[in-house]
Amino acid sequence: MTLDDFEVQDGTDIILIRGSDDGETKRVKTAAGHRFVPVHPELKRIGLLTFVTDQRAKHPADAALFPELPAGTTGYRSDPFSKFFARFLDKVGITDQKKVFHSFRHNYRDALREADISIEKVRALGGWTTGNTEDAYGKGLSAGTLAAAIKTVGYPGLDLSHLYLSNEAS
């Protein structure tokens, strides 16, 4: 992600999920992957938007959100991080082959199911599609509608309160 991937749309803080103009440093796999996702209130509480603001004061708009993360041989920052995560799992003794970095996406899908979010909102939030022509009709769901849905997504037992910034609004 880059700093210009964070915007406010219709009064809602969002993250743009998109490829880069050069097509080299950021990519999405499918057309449905190009989307926006409202910033979850928990990310606001732990200071993500404050961090973005601080980074914008120091770097150009197209700078990487986390410039300290190196790019891999493929040019993507996700590659070294995925390898780091695999080493971390080994270090803490998690050896199940189904528990990998991509598991976060599967857990997110499960959390969307548990929140009883409509399939149309799930597809918009996750970048999934049915492959039907109807998917291309209309302009899609509003940022406010998706923000209301994502606010209901949670992970029972996950307590991030030790990361909260005291001045962050939810």
Side-chain angles (χ1 to χ4, degrees), residues 137-157:
Y137 290 169
K139 62 180 183 173
L141 296 161
S142 73
T145 297
L146 292 178
I150 207 164
K151 190 181 286 189
T152 66
V153 174
Y155 298 87

Side-chain angles (χ1 to χ4, degrees), residues 1-9 12-21 25-28 34-39 48-49 52 56 60-66 77:
M1 288 190 292
T2 53
L3 299 174
D4 57 359
D5 288 333
F6 291 82
E7 289 186 359
V8 176
Q9 192 176 94
T12 300
D13 294 302
I14 63 167
I15 302 170
L16 299 171
I17 311 296
R18 58 191 176 166
S20 58
D21 290 337
T25 53
K26 294 191 306 184
R27 69 177 178 214
V28 292
H34 291 270
R35 64 194 186 281
F36 67 88
V37 178
V39 178
L48 177 62
L49 297 178
V52 170
R56 283 179 171 160
D62 63 349
L65 177 62
F66 301 108
R77 295 175 193 275

Side-chain angles (χ1 to χ4, degrees), residues 8 30-31 39 60-61 91 94 100 106 111 118-119 127 142 148 152 157 160-161 166 169:
V8 176
T30 67
V39 178
K91 184 177 179 179
I94 297 174
V100 295
H106 291 270
S118 75
I119 191 64
S142 73
T152 66
L160 299 176
S161 62
S166 59

